Amino acid sequence: MRITNIDTHVVGTPWRNLTYVTVHTDEGLSGVGEARMLGHTDALLGYLNEAARRHVLGSDPFDIEDLVRRMKYGDFGRAGEIVMSGIACVEMACWDILGKALGQPVWRLLGGRVRDRVKAYANGWYTVDRTPEEFHAAARRVVERGYRALKLDPFGAGRMELDHDETVRSIALVEAVRDAIGPECELLVEMHGRFSPATAIRLARLLEPYDPAWLEEPCPPENLKALAKVSAHTGLPIATGERIHDRIEFRELLELQAADIVQPDVGHLGGIAETRKLAAAAETYYVQLAPHNVGGPVLTAASLQLGVCVPNFKILEHFNDFADARITSVARGAPAVVDGYFTVPQAPGLGVELDLDAVAEFPRRKADFDLFAEDWHKREERPSHPEETR
């Protein structure tokens, strides 16, 4: 079997564009992959166009390790977010082909199940005004959908520091959410790499009464010793990793023991097998895996395969019940959350099929998403340049 062609499709929403890749073979089997890029969709498409000619076309989709190695190292330049995302799209599509050819879900090919269901947590649910009343009501709607875990970034447009008024406001939002969901639900607090270590440590102390299951990315990701400082000064679990795009670069994070949960994005880390290898390395440090998953149904399906078979898998992020819920229509067989959990997929491959008619209903958008803008959490389409608002 040989790869004969690659098709790409961009699905647009007000705050994100999703790139889908279909890999075709000479035996009629095809597989699908997905990555979500922020501001770099054209770069991803350009890379895939070049990589198809140089590395992908003519390859055996069963030889996944060889294909990933050639795509990562064959151009000599150091692979970053663009290259690793392109590799991920093609890699997960090859796993999809492999599973279909063998009539097995991907998780069976990775070692088989270790759990009967995969816990989900909701994100994208707090697209409301930043008041305790609005956040309380929105959180209640999450638990009414059956979720037993949810995540929020309550810190507005905070950056490096957070002044007194914003600190009081942010903590009040967390307090309201904890009151809404009760003590039995997991509350995950996202910081989006906003803060200096001193600010993150101060906020961690204020958050302790609300028992967050983790603090996510308290500091920018470039300086891991800064993260280690935060970890050393709080008893709350630290989660990070969505902006690390090579599993080898997690080595220092693990050696510093600066995080309790690693959060690679399967669509940015080079795909399913690369994430599985990272999970095995993290397990030796007693660190759990909770993939970053801000994509659509294909990326969710790929991440779910790992959730079934990875022993140290903690929980899987899910946006598509709250933010852009219609986006699930682009793939038949899209994973769904029932009573707070994903069920174990049984269909061959990834278990999803791209619906091109549905894809056509979501044309590409500007999707200029800025986590440091006011009201970013409402995830609305924004002008690309300030002068457009005048």
Side-chain angles (χ1 to χ4, degrees), residues 306-320:
L306 292 163
V308 177
C309 67
V310 169
N312 54 326
F313 195 100
K314 175 176 172 59
I315 198 168
L316 181 58
E317 184 172 21
H318 196 225
F319 266 82
N320 298 318

Side-chain angles (χ1 to χ4, degrees), residues 103-108 113 116 305 308 343-351:
Q104 297 292 336
V106 169
W107 57 264
R108 277 221 171 94
R113 79 168 77 191
D116 294 325
Q305 303 293 328
V308 177
T343 58
V344 174
Q346 300 296 332
L350 298 180

Side-chain angles (χ1 to χ4, degrees), residues 45-321:
L45 296 174
Y47 168 70
L48 285 167
N49 183 57
E50 291 190 86
R53 174 184 60 82
R54 287 179 51 78
H55 304 301
V56 182
L57 299 184
S59 296
D60 185 336
F62 277 39
D63 293 336
I64 295 172
E65 286 283 348
D66 179 64
L67 179 56
V68 168
R69 179 183 58 81
R70 287 188 286 111
M71 293 180 75
K72 183 176 180 182
Y73 296 112
D75 299 325
F76 188 70
R78 184 175 178 181
E81 180 185 18
I82 304 302
V83 170
M84 296 307 292
S85 300
I87 292 172
C89 290
V90 174
E91 193 261 11
M92 67 180 77
C94 288
W95 278 108
D96 193 23
I97 292 168
L98 180 57
K100 290 173 180 175
L102 299 177
Q104 297 292 336
V106 169
W107 57 264
R108 277 221 171 94
L109 309 179
L110 296 172
R113 79 168 77 191
V114 295
R115 56 183 56 85
D116 294 325
R117 57 181 185 170
V118 175
K119 190 173 184 178
Y121 73 85
N123 204 344
W125 55 272
Y126 53 101
T127 55
V128 297
D129 290 336
R130 288 182 66 232
T131 67
E133 296 77 15
E134 291 285 342
F135 270 56
H136 189 283
R140 283 301 308 164
R141 290 192 288 271
V142 175
V143 295
E144 287 167 2
R145 292 284 297 267
Y147 281 90
R148 291 297 173 263
L150 54 76
K151 186 169 78 178
L152 77 157
D153 177 342
F155 301 108
R159 195 166 198 167
M160 291 301 287
E161 294 184 309
L162 202 63
D163 66 29
H164 177 74
D165 288 345
E166 273 299 305
T167 297
V168 171
R169 184 183 189 184
S170 299
I171 299 302
L173 296 179
V174 176
E175 181 182 25
V177 171
R178 173 53 80 193
D179 181 72
I181 68 176
E184 67 277 3
C185 293
E186 284 191 276
L187 173 59
L188 313 172
V189 176
E190 166 76 87
M191 291 183 166
H192 280 125
R194 295 185 182 281
F195 301 122
S196 68
T199 300
I201 292 166
R202 178 172 63 87
L203 291 171
R205 185 171 64 253
L206 294 172
L207 288 166
E208 285 180 2
Y210 309 106
D211 192 28
W214 73 47
L215 296 183
E216 181 170 336
E217 213 179 34
C219 301
E222 298 89 353
N223 186 337
L224 295 179
K225 288 186 178 179
L227 182 66
K229 179 179 178 180
V230 177
S231 181
H233 285 81
T234 180
L236 298 176
I238 299 296
T240 195
E242 69 181 74
R243 288 189 278 178
I244 302 177
H245 305 126
D246 187 329
R247 64 181 168 85
I248 297 171
E249 293 177 5
F250 278 88
R251 176 191 56 79
E252 184 181 0
L253 177 69
L254 295 172
E255 289 177 352
L256 286 171
Q257 299 191 32
D260 305 283
I261 301 101
V262 289
Q263 300 174 289
D265 189 311
V266 179
H268 294 322
L269 195 77
I272 293 170
E274 289 293 287
T275 307
R276 180 67 184 90
K277 292 175 185 178
L278 172 62
E283 190 177 10
T284 67
Y285 288 87
Y286 314 116
V287 168
Q288 292 182 288
L289 183 83
H292 178 252
N293 178 40
V294 192
V298 174
L299 192 53
T300 300
S303 301
L304 180 57
Q305 303 293 328
L306 292 163
V308 177
C309 67
V310 169
N312 54 326
F313 195 100
K314 175 176 172 59
I315 198 168
L316 181 58
E317 184 172 21
H318 196 225
F319 266 82
N320 298 318
D321 273 345

Side-chain angles (χ1 to χ4, degrees), residues 10-18 327 359 361-365 367:
V10 177
V11 168
T13 81
W15 64 283
R16 57 179 176 167
N17 285 313
L18 309 176
I327 210 74
V359 166
E361 297 178 9
F362 299 93
R364 182 174 174 176
R365 307 278 286 271

